Amino acid sequence: MELNHNIGFSIGDYYWDGHCLYQEYHIVSNYSGEEISKAYQELSEELGWNFLDECRGYGEQCLSEEGEQHLLELGIISESDILASRREYPDDTYTIENSDEFVDIFFKLVQIKIPDLVWDYRNLNEESLPLLNGAGYGLFRN
């Protein structure tokens, strides 16, 4: 299966109108961003619940009771996951530990509509080629 779609997105305060904390993600996938978005929106409508509304407030890592129930019913989290979360956070619903887990849950939801969806993190580590720095300057003009 060819992962020929390069997709970038961020979660958190991307618009810098709060605490300015966000995480950028770069992935490759066998489906386009548009196809993934459409599948997610269809699922969200069918469920009458939008996962992207979870964990919206600053420092808010706990799912709503509705969110916890949906993820449990869909098999994305288990009773043992909930119990483990409550051992650490006794007064809360299931707690999403970090942005990577949030992204993972999102794609598991999308896979309900697109079961053959494959994605992976894109390696952004690159070498430098200083030989080209400043070359071709004459090609750019106002």
Side-chain angles (χ1 to χ4, degrees):
M1 185 159 304
E2 201 169 326
L3 305 179
N4 55 357
H5 295 277
N6 290 321
I7 301 170
F9 58 91
S10 69
I11 66 170
D13 187 16
Y14 179 74
Y15 297 106
W16 288 64
D17 59 359
H19 291 87
C20 306
L21 301 171
Y22 67 96
Q23 176 68 47
E24 290 185 353
Y25 287 87
H26 302 274
I27 66 167
V28 289
S29 173
N30 59 329
Y31 281 87
S32 70
E34 183 178 329
E35 292 167 314
I36 291 168
S37 295
K38 183 179 179 210
Y40 176 79
Q41 290 166 346
E42 287 174 5
L43 178 69
S44 184
E45 286 176 20
E46 289 171 14
L47 295 174
W49 168 72
N50 187 349
F51 173 68
L52 301 181
D53 290 336
E54 300 286 344
C55 304
R56 279 264 193 215
Y58 179 72
E60 185 179 285
Q61 292 179 262
C62 299
L63 293 174
S64 65
E65 288 182 15
E66 178 185 20
E68 181 182 76
Q69 191 61 39
H70 278 295
L71 293 183
L72 182 62
E73 289 172 1
L74 294 167
I76 293 173
I77 60 174
S78 66
E79 289 286 351
S80 63
D81 293 330
I82 293 170
L83 290 173
S85 177
R86 289 208 174 119
R87 275 193 291 277
E88 187 149 348
Y89 307 98
D91 298 327
D92 293 322
T93 55
Y94 181 78
T95 300
I96 296 178
E97 290 293 324
N98 54 47
S99 59
D100 289 349
E101 183 180 4
F102 190 91
V103 169
D104 187 55
I105 290 171
F106 171 81
F107 281 102
K108 286 179 179 176
L109 287 165
V110 173
Q111 285 175 318
I112 292 169
K113 297 297 282 181
I114 309 175
D116 65 334
L117 171 68
V118 176
W119 69 280
D120 199 358
Y121 293 102
R122 189 168 18 139
N123 182 350
L124 293 180
N125 294 332
E126 55 189 27
E127 293 181 47
S128 176
L129 188 55
L131 177 68
L132 286 173
N133 290 343
Y137 178 69
L139 303 171
F140 299 90
R141 59 185 137 188
N142 292 337

mmCIF file with all atom_site columns, all heavy atoms in Angstrom, residues 12 15 17 25 27 31 34 37 45 63 71 76 82 115 118 122 124-125 127 140:
data_model
loop_
_atom_site.group_PDB
_atom_site.id
_atom_site.type_symbol
_atom_site.label_atom_id
_atom_site.label_alt_id
_atom_site.label_comp_id
_atom_site.label_asym_id
_atom_site.label_entity_id
_atom_site.label_seq_id
_atom_site.pdbx_PDB_ins_code
_atom_site.Cartn_x
_atom_site.Cartn_y
_atom_site.Cartn_z
_atom_site.occupancy
_atom_site.B_iso_or_equiv
_atom_site.pdbx_formal_charge
_atom_site.auth_seq_id
_atom_site.auth_comp_id
_atom_site.auth_asym_id
_atom_site.auth_atom_id
_atom_site.pdbx_PDB_model_num
ATOM 1   N N   . GLY A 1 12  ? -3.754  22.025 19.227 1.00 0.00 ? 12  GLY A N   1
ATOM 2   C CA  . GLY A 1 12  ? -3.423  22.959 20.288 1.00 0.00 ? 12  GLY A CA  1
ATOM 3   C C   . GLY A 1 12  ? -3.755  24.374 19.870 1.00 0.00 ? 12  GLY A C   1
ATOM 4   O O   . GLY A 1 12  ? -4.643  24.616 19.055 1.00 0.00 ? 12  GLY A O   1
ATOM 5   N N   . TYR A 1 15  ? -3.440  29.119 16.567 1.00 0.00 ? 15  TYR A N   1
ATOM 6   C CA  . TYR A 1 15  ? -3.716  30.501 16.173 1.00 0.00 ? 15  TYR A CA  1
ATOM 7   C C   . TYR A 1 15  ? -3.123  31.515 17.152 1.00 0.00 ? 15  TYR A C   1
ATOM 8   O O   . TYR A 1 15  ? -3.287  32.704 16.977 1.00 0.00 ? 15  TYR A O   1
ATOM 9   C CB  . TYR A 1 15  ? -5.227  30.710 16.030 1.00 0.00 ? 15  TYR A CB  1
ATOM 10  C CG  . TYR A 1 15  ? -5.809  29.851 14.945 1.00 0.00 ? 15  TYR A CG  1
ATOM 11  C CD1 . TYR A 1 15  ? -6.575  28.736 15.256 1.00 0.00 ? 15  TYR A CD1 1
ATOM 12  C CD2 . TYR A 1 15  ? -5.565  30.134 13.607 1.00 0.00 ? 15  TYR A CD2 1
ATOM 13  C CE1 . TYR A 1 15  ? -7.092  27.936 14.245 1.00 0.00 ? 15  TYR A CE1 1
ATOM 14  C CE2 . TYR A 1 15  ? -6.078  29.338 12.601 1.00 0.00 ? 15  TYR A CE2 1
ATOM 15  C CZ  . TYR A 1 15  ? -6.843  28.247 12.930 1.00 0.00 ? 15  TYR A CZ  1
ATOM 16  O OH  . TYR A 1 15  ? -7.352  27.446 11.946 1.00 0.00 ? 15  TYR A OH  1
ATOM 17  N N   . ASP A 1 17  ? -3.909  32.449 20.156 1.00 0.00 ? 17  ASP A N   1
ATOM 18  C CA  . ASP A 1 17  ? -4.848  33.346 20.830 1.00 0.00 ? 17  ASP A CA  1
ATOM 19  C C   . ASP A 1 17  ? -5.076  32.934 22.286 1.00 0.00 ? 17  ASP A C   1
ATOM 20  O O   . ASP A 1 17  ? -6.000  33.384 22.931 1.00 0.00 ? 17  ASP A O   1
ATOM 21  C CB  . ASP A 1 17  ? -6.170  33.432 20.072 1.00 0.00 ? 17  ASP A CB  1
ATOM 22  C CG  . ASP A 1 17  ? -6.858  32.088 19.915 1.00 0.00 ? 17  ASP A CG  1
ATOM 23  O OD1 . ASP A 1 17  ? -6.309  31.074 20.368 1.00 0.00 ? 17  ASP A OD1 1
ATOM 24  O OD2 . ASP A 1 17  ? -7.948  32.056 19.327 1.00 0.00 ? 17  ASP A OD2 1
ATOM 25  N N   . TYR A 1 25  ? 2.213   18.190 13.302 1.00 0.00 ? 25  TYR A N   1
ATOM 26  C CA  . TYR A 1 25  ? 2.383   16.805 12.874 1.00 0.00 ? 25  TYR A CA  1
ATOM 27  C C   . TYR A 1 25  ? 2.543   16.770 11.367 1.00 0.00 ? 25  TYR A C   1
ATOM 28  O O   . TYR A 1 25  ? 1.904   17.548 10.650 1.00 0.00 ? 25  TYR A O   1
ATOM 29  C CB  . TYR A 1 25  ? 1.163   15.958 13.281 1.00 0.00 ? 25  TYR A CB  1
ATOM 30  C CG  . TYR A 1 25  ? 1.122   15.689 14.747 1.00 0.00 ? 25  TYR A CG  1
ATOM 31  C CD1 . TYR A 1 25  ? 0.519   16.581 15.618 1.00 0.00 ? 25  TYR A CD1 1
ATOM 32  C CD2 . TYR A 1 25  ? 1.717   14.552 15.282 1.00 0.00 ? 25  TYR A CD2 1
ATOM 33  C CE1 . TYR A 1 25  ? 0.490   16.344 16.981 1.00 0.00 ? 25  TYR A CE1 1
ATOM 34  C CE2 . TYR A 1 25  ? 1.699   14.308 16.638 1.00 0.00 ? 25  TYR A CE2 1
ATOM 35  C CZ  . TYR A 1 25  ? 1.083   15.213 17.482 1.00 0.00 ? 25  TYR A CZ  1
ATOM 36  O OH  . TYR A 1 25  ? 1.068   14.973 18.831 1.00 0.00 ? 25  TYR A OH  1
ATOM 37  N N   . ILE A 1 27  ? 2.571   13.734 8.449  1.00 0.00 ? 27  ILE A N   1
ATOM 38  C CA  . ILE A 1 27  ? 2.353   12.304 8.245  1.00 0.00 ? 27  ILE A CA  1
ATOM 39  C C   . ILE A 1 27  ? 2.311   11.983 6.751  1.00 0.00 ? 27  ILE A C   1
ATOM 40  O O   . ILE A 1 27  ? 2.186   12.878 5.913  1.00 0.00 ? 27  ILE A O   1
ATOM 41  C CB  . ILE A 1 27  ? 1.043   11.817 8.913  1.00 0.00 ? 27  ILE A CB  1
ATOM 42  C CG1 . ILE A 1 27  ? -0.183  12.445 8.234  1.00 0.00 ? 27  ILE A CG1 1
ATOM 43  C CG2 . ILE A 1 27  ? 1.049   12.108 10.411 1.00 0.00 ? 27  ILE A CG2 1
ATOM 44  C CD1 . ILE A 1 27  ? -1.505  11.793 8.601  1.00 0.00 ? 27  ILE A CD1 1
ATOM 45  N N   . TYR A 1 31  ? -4.539  7.844  2.081  1.00 0.00 ? 31  TYR A N   1
ATOM 46  C CA  . TYR A 1 31  ? -5.720  8.655  1.745  1.00 0.00 ? 31  TYR A CA  1
ATOM 47  C C   . TYR A 1 31  ? -5.346  10.122 1.889  1.00 0.00 ? 31  TYR A C   1
ATOM 48  O O   . TYR A 1 31  ? -4.499  10.484 2.701  1.00 0.00 ? 31  TYR A O   1
ATOM 49  C CB  . TYR A 1 31  ? -6.897  8.328  2.677  1.00 0.00 ? 31  TYR A CB  1
ATOM 50  C CG  . TYR A 1 31  ? -7.612  7.061  2.310  1.00 0.00 ? 31  TYR A CG  1
ATOM 51  C CD1 . TYR A 1 31  ? -7.172  5.834  2.790  1.00 0.00 ? 31  TYR A CD1 1
ATOM 52  C CD2 . TYR A 1 31  ? -8.728  7.076  1.477  1.00 0.00 ? 31  TYR A CD2 1
ATOM 53  C CE1 . TYR A 1 31  ? -7.812  4.653  2.444  1.00 0.00 ? 31  TYR A CE1 1
ATOM 54  C CE2 . TYR A 1 31  ? -9.383  5.906  1.135  1.00 0.00 ? 31  TYR A CE2 1
ATOM 55  C CZ  . TYR A 1 31  ? -8.923  4.700  1.616  1.00 0.00 ? 31  TYR A CZ  1
ATOM 56  O OH  . TYR A 1 31  ? -9.564  3.535  1.269  1.00 0.00 ? 31  TYR A OH  1
ATOM 57  N N   . GLU A 1 34  ? -8.326  15.483 2.445  1.00 0.00 ? 34  GLU A N   1
ATOM 58  C CA  . GLU A 1 34  ? -9.746  15.726 2.159  1.00 0.00 ? 34  GLU A CA  1
ATOM 59  C C   . GLU A 1 34  ? -10.574 14.469 2.428  1.00 0.00 ? 34  GLU A C   1
ATOM 60  O O   . GLU A 1 34  ? -11.654 14.543 3.024  1.00 0.00 ? 34  GLU A O   1
ATOM 61  C CB  . GLU A 1 34  ? -9.908  16.162 0.706  1.00 0.00 ? 34  GLU A CB  1
ATOM 62  C CG  . GLU A 1 34  ? -11.331 16.517 0.333  1.00 0.00 ? 34  GLU A CG  1
ATOM 63  C CD  . GLU A 1 34  ? -11.454 17.000 -1.108 1.00 0.00 ? 34  GLU A CD  1
ATOM 64  O OE1 . GLU A 1 34  ? -10.496 17.596 -1.626 1.00 0.00 ? 34  GLU A OE1 1
ATOM 65  O OE2 . GLU A 1 34  ? -12.525 16.762 -1.692 1.00 0.00 ? 34  GLU A OE2 1
ATOM 66  N N   . SER A 1 37  ? -10.757 13.940 6.213  1.00 0.00 ? 37  SER A N   1
ATOM 67  C CA  . SER A 1 37  ? -11.678 14.920 6.806  1.00 0.00 ? 37  SER A CA  1
ATOM 68  C C   . SER A 1 37  ? -13.127 14.539 6.553  1.00 0.00 ? 37  SER A C   1
ATOM 69  O O   . SER A 1 37  ? -13.968 14.593 7.467  1.00 0.00 ? 37  SER A O   1
ATOM 70  C CB  . SER A 1 37  ? -11.417 16.317 6.236  1.00 0.00 ? 37  SER A CB  1
ATOM 71  O OG  . SER A 1 37  ? -10.147 16.775 6.617  1.00 0.00 ? 37  SER A OG  1
ATOM 72  N N   . GLU A 1 45  ? -21.094 13.052 12.483 1.00 0.00 ? 45  GLU A N   1
ATOM 73  C CA  . GLU A 1 45  ? -22.537 13.268 12.296 1.00 0.00 ? 45  GLU A CA  1
ATOM 74  C C   . GLU A 1 45  ? -23.335 12.040 12.710 1.00 0.00 ? 45  GLU A C   1
ATOM 75  O O   . GLU A 1 45  ? -24.370 12.151 13.366 1.00 0.00 ? 45  GLU A O   1
ATOM 76  C CB  . GLU A 1 45  ? -22.835 13.637 10.845 1.00 0.00 ? 45  GLU A CB  1
ATOM 77  C CG  . GLU A 1 45  ? -22.415 15.045 10.480 1.00 0.00 ? 45  GLU A CG  1
ATOM 78  C CD  . GLU A 1 45  ? -22.635 15.354 9.003  1.00 0.00 ? 45  GLU A CD  1
ATOM 79  O OE1 . GLU A 1 45  ? -23.434 14.668 8.336  1.00 0.00 ? 45  GLU A OE1 1
ATOM 80  O OE2 . GLU A 1 45  ? -21.980 16.295 8.510  1.00 0.00 ? 45  GLU A OE2 1
ATOM 81  N N   . LEU A 1 63  ? -11.696 13.361 29.042 1.00 0.00 ? 63  LEU A N   1
ATOM 82  C CA  . LEU A 1 63  ? -12.835 13.292 28.134 1.00 0.00 ? 63  LEU A CA  1
ATOM 83  C C   . LEU A 1 63  ? -14.119 13.651 28.876 1.00 0.00 ? 63  LEU A C   1
ATOM 84  O O   . LEU A 1 63  ? -14.210 13.460 30.093 1.00 0.00 ? 63  LEU A O   1
ATOM 85  C CB  . LEU A 1 63  ? -12.985 11.872 27.590 1.00 0.00 ? 63  LEU A CB  1
ATOM 86  C CG  . LEU A 1 63  ? -11.896 11.359 26.662 1.00 0.00 ? 63  LEU A CG  1
ATOM 87  C CD1 . LEU A 1 63  ? -12.134 9.888  26.356 1.00 0.00 ? 63  LEU A CD1 1
ATOM 88  C CD2 . LEU A 1 63  ? -11.854 12.167 25.380 1.00 0.00 ? 63  LEU A CD2 1
ATOM 89  N N   . LEU A 1 71  ? -15.957 6.287  23.017 1.00 0.00 ? 71  LEU A N   1
ATOM 90  C CA  . LEU A 1 71  ? -14.695 5.596  22.742 1.00 0.00 ? 71  LEU A CA  1
ATOM 91  C C   . LEU A 1 71  ? -14.706 4.185  23.309 1.00 0.00 ? 71  LEU A C   1
ATOM 92  O O   . LEU A 1 71  ? -14.145 3.272  22.705 1.00 0.00 ? 71  LEU A O   1
ATOM 93  C CB  . LEU A 1 71  ? -13.514 6.396  23.292 1.00 0.00 ? 71  LEU A CB  1
ATOM 94  C CG  . LEU A 1 71  ? -13.247 7.745  22.615 1.00 0.00 ? 71  LEU A CG  1
ATOM 95  C CD1 . LEU A 1 71  ? -12.000 8.397  23.209 1.00 0.00 ? 71  LEU A CD1 1
ATOM 96  C CD2 . LEU A 1 71  ? -13.126 7.619  21.108 1.00 0.00 ? 71  LEU A CD2 1
ATOM 97  N N   . ILE A 1 76  ? -12.206 1.792  21.118 1.00 0.00 ? 76  ILE A N   1
ATOM 98  C CA  . ILE A 1 76  ? -10.964 2.554  21.009 1.00 0.00 ? 76  ILE A CA  1
ATOM 99  C C   . ILE A 1 76  ? -10.244 2.593  22.358 1.00 0.00 ? 76  ILE A C   1
ATOM 100 O O   . ILE A 1 76  ? -9.019  2.572  22.419 1.00 0.00 ? 76  ILE A O   1
ATOM 101 C CB  . ILE A 1 76  ? -11.236 3.952  20.430 1.00 0.00 ? 76  ILE A CB  1
ATOM 102 C CG1 . ILE A 1 76  ? -11.693 3.776  18.972 1.00 0.00 ? 76  ILE A CG1 1
ATOM 103 C CG2 . ILE A 1 76  ? -10.018 4.853  20.534 1.00 0.00 ? 76  ILE A CG2 1
ATOM 104 C CD1 . ILE A 1 76  ? -12.157 5.016  18.290 1.00 0.00 ? 76  ILE A CD1 1
ATOM 105 N N   . ILE A 1 82  ? -9.712  2.664  31.160 1.00 0.00 ? 82  ILE A N   1
ATOM 106 C CA  . ILE A 1 82  ? -10.417 3.616  32.023 1.00 0.00 ? 82  ILE A CA  1
ATOM 107 C C   . ILE A 1 82  ? -9.993  3.418  33.476 1.00 0.00 ? 82  ILE A C   1
ATOM 108 O O   . ILE A 1 82  ? -9.711  4.386  34.194 1.00 0.00 ? 82  ILE A O   1
ATOM 109 C CB  . ILE A 1 82  ? -11.946 3.486  31.852 1.00 0.00 ? 82  ILE A CB  1
ATOM 110 C CG1 . ILE A 1 82  ? -12.346 3.937  30.445 1.00 0.00 ? 82  ILE A CG1 1
ATOM 111 C CG2 . ILE A 1 82  ? -12.687 4.294  32.916 1.00 0.00 ? 82  ILE A CG2 1
ATOM 112 C CD1 . ILE A 1 82  ? -13.787 3.647  30.065 1.00 0.00 ? 82  ILE A CD1 1
ATOM 113 N N   . PRO A 1 115 ? -11.526 1.642  6.844  1.00 0.00 ? 115 PRO A N   1
ATOM 114 C CA  . PRO A 1 115 ? -10.780 0.579  7.529  1.00 0.00 ? 115 PRO A CA  1
ATOM 115 C C   . PRO A 1 115 ? -9.375  0.336  6.985  1.00 0.00 ? 115 PRO A C   1
ATOM 116 O O   . PRO A 1 115 ? -8.497  -0.098 7.737  1.00 0.00 ? 115 PRO A O   1
ATOM 117 C CB  . PRO A 1 115 ? -11.657 -0.655 7.339  1.00 0.00 ? 115 PRO A CB  1
ATOM 118 C CG  . PRO A 1 115 ? -13.005 -0.140 6.991  1.00 0.00 ? 115 PRO A CG  1
ATOM 119 C CD  . PRO A 1 115 ? -12.805 1.182  6.323  1.00 0.00 ? 115 PRO A CD  1
ATOM 120 N N   . VAL A 1 118 ? -4.047  3.785  6.233  1.00 0.00 ? 118 VAL A N   1
ATOM 121 C CA  . VAL A 1 118 ? -2.718  3.573  6.809  1.00 0.00 ? 118 VAL A CA  1
ATOM 122 C C   . VAL A 1 118 ? -2.048  4.936  6.870  1.00 0.00 ? 118 VAL A C   1
ATOM 123 O O   . VAL A 1 118 ? -2.102  5.710  5.912  1.00 0.00 ? 118 VAL A O   1
ATOM 124 C CB  . VAL A 1 118 ? -1.878  2.598  5.944  1.00 0.00 ? 118 VAL A CB  1
ATOM 125 C CG1 . VAL A 1 118 ? -0.474  2.456  6.503  1.00 0.00 ? 118 VAL A CG1 1
ATOM 126 C CG2 . VAL A 1 118 ? -2.566  1.254  5.833  1.00 0.00 ? 118 VAL A CG2 1
ATOM 127 N N   . ARG A 1 122 ? 5.880   11.246 9.208  1.00 0.00 ? 122 ARG A N   1
ATOM 128 C CA  . ARG A 1 122 ? 6.832   11.541 8.150  1.00 0.00 ? 122 ARG A CA  1
ATOM 129 C C   . ARG A 1 122 ? 8.141   11.995 8.796  1.00 0.00 ? 122 ARG A C   1
ATOM 130 O O   . ARG A 1 122 ? 8.144   12.846 9.673  1.00 0.00 ? 122 ARG A O   1
ATOM 131 C CB  . ARG A 1 122 ? 6.264   12.648 7.264  1.00 0.00 ? 122 ARG A CB  1
ATOM 132 C CG  . ARG A 1 122 ? 7.031   12.917 6.031  1.00 0.00 ? 122 ARG A CG  1
ATOM 133 C CD  . ARG A 1 122 ? 6.320   13.807 5.038  1.00 0.00 ? 122 ARG A CD  1
ATOM 134 N NE  . ARG A 1 122 ? 5.215   14.581 5.566  1.00 0.00 ? 122 ARG A NE  1
ATOM 135 C CZ  . ARG A 1 122 ? 4.976   15.843 5.235  1.00 0.00 ? 122 ARG A CZ  1
ATOM 136 N NH1 . ARG A 1 122 ? 5.749   16.473 4.390  1.00 0.00 ? 122 ARG A NH1 1
ATOM 137 N NH2 . ARG A 1 122 ? 3.942   16.476 5.737  1.00 0.00 ? 122 ARG A NH2 1
ATOM 138 N N   . LEU A 1 124 ? 11.081  14.124 9.181  1.00 0.00 ? 124 LEU A N   1
ATOM 139 C CA  . LEU A 1 124 ? 11.482  15.461 8.741  1.00 0.00 ? 124 LEU A CA  1
ATOM 140 C C   . LEU A 1 124 ? 12.967  15.734 8.987  1.00 0.00 ? 124 LEU A C   1
ATOM 141 O O   . LEU A 1 124 ? 13.443  16.832 8.740  1.00 0.00 ? 124 LEU A O   1
ATOM 142 C CB  . LEU A 1 124 ? 10.647  16.524 9.449  1.00 0.00 ? 124 LEU A CB  1
ATOM 143 C CG  . LEU A 1 124 ? 9.171   16.534 9.082  1.00 0.00 ? 124 LEU A CG  1
ATOM 144 C CD1 . LEU A 1 124 ? 8.449   17.630 9.842  1.00 0.00 ? 124 LEU A CD1 1
ATOM 145 C CD2 . LEU A 1 124 ? 8.966   16.708 7.592  1.00 0.00 ? 124 LEU A CD2 1
ATOM 146 N N   . ASN A 1 125 ? 13.663  14.732 9.484  1.00 0.00 ? 125 ASN A N   1
ATOM 147 C CA  . ASN A 1 125 ? 15.104  14.898 9.649  1.00 0.00 ? 125 ASN A CA  1
ATOM 148 C C   . ASN A 1 125 ? 15.742  14.961 8.265  1.00 0.00 ? 125 ASN A C   1
ATOM 149 O O   . ASN A 1 125 ? 15.518  14.096 7.429  1.00 0.00 ? 125 ASN A O   1
ATOM 150 C CB  . ASN A 1 125 ? 15.700  13.726 10.431 1.00 0.00 ? 125 ASN A CB  1
ATOM 151 C CG  . ASN A 1 125 ? 15.208  13.697 11.850 1.00 0.00 ? 125 ASN A CG  1
ATOM 152 O OD1 . ASN A 1 125 ? 14.879  14.727 12.409 1.00 0.00 ? 125 ASN A OD1 1
ATOM 153 N ND2 . ASN A 1 125 ? 15.132  12.508 12.422 1.00 0.00 ? 125 ASN A ND2 1
ATOM 154 N N   . GLU A 1 127 ? 19.310  16.368 5.878  1.00 0.00 ? 127 GLU A N   1
ATOM 155 C CA  . GLU A 1 127 ? 20.677  16.868 5.825  1.00 0.00 ? 127 GLU A CA  1
ATOM 156 C C   . GLU A 1 127 ? 20.669  18.274 5.237  1.00 0.00 ? 127 GLU A C   1
ATOM 157 O O   . GLU A 1 127 ? 19.745  18.662 4.540  1.00 0.00 ? 127 GLU A O   1
ATOM 158 C CB  . GLU A 1 127 ? 21.524  15.975 4.917  1.00 0.00 ? 127 GLU A CB  1
ATOM 159 C CG  . GLU A 1 127 ? 21.741  14.588 5.429  1.00 0.00 ? 127 GLU A CG  1
ATOM 160 C CD  . GLU A 1 127 ? 22.598  13.785 4.478  1.00 0.00 ? 127 GLU A CD  1
ATOM 161 O OE1 . GLU A 1 127 ? 23.651  14.307 4.032  1.00 0.00 ? 127 GLU A OE1 1
ATOM 162 O OE2 . GLU A 1 127 ? 22.201  12.659 4.176  1.00 0.00 ? 127 GLU A OE2 1
ATOM 163 N N   . PHE A 1 140 ? 15.939  35.815 -8.705 1.00 0.00 ? 140 PHE A N   1
ATOM 164 C CA  . PHE A 1 140 ? 14.839  36.392 -7.914 1.00 0.00 ? 140 PHE A CA  1
ATOM 165 C C   . PHE A 1 140 ? 14.875  37.902 -8.013 1.00 0.00 ? 140 PHE A C   1
ATOM 166 O O   . PHE A 1 140 ? 15.892  38.528 -7.786 1.00 0.00 ? 140 PHE A O   1
ATOM 167 C CB  . PHE A 1 140 ? 14.981  35.965 -6.453 1.00 0.00 ? 140 PHE A CB  1
ATOM 168 C CG  . PHE A 1 140 ? 14.927  34.482 -6.280 1.00 0.00 ? 140 PHE A CG  1
ATOM 169 C CD1 . PHE A 1 140 ? 16.092  33.708 -6.336 1.00 0.00 ? 140 PHE A CD1 1
ATOM 170 C CD2 . PHE A 1 140 ? 13.721  33.816 -6.112 1.00 0.00 ? 140 PHE A CD2 1
ATOM 171 C CE1 . PHE A 1 140 ? 16.050  32.335 -6.201 1.00 0.00 ? 140 PHE A CE1 1
ATOM 172 C CE2 . PHE A 1 140 ? 13.664  32.444 -5.982 1.00 0.00 ? 140 PHE A CE2 1
ATOM 173 C CZ  . PHE A 1 140 ? 14.826  31.708 -6.025 1.00 0.00 ? 140 PHE A CZ  1
#
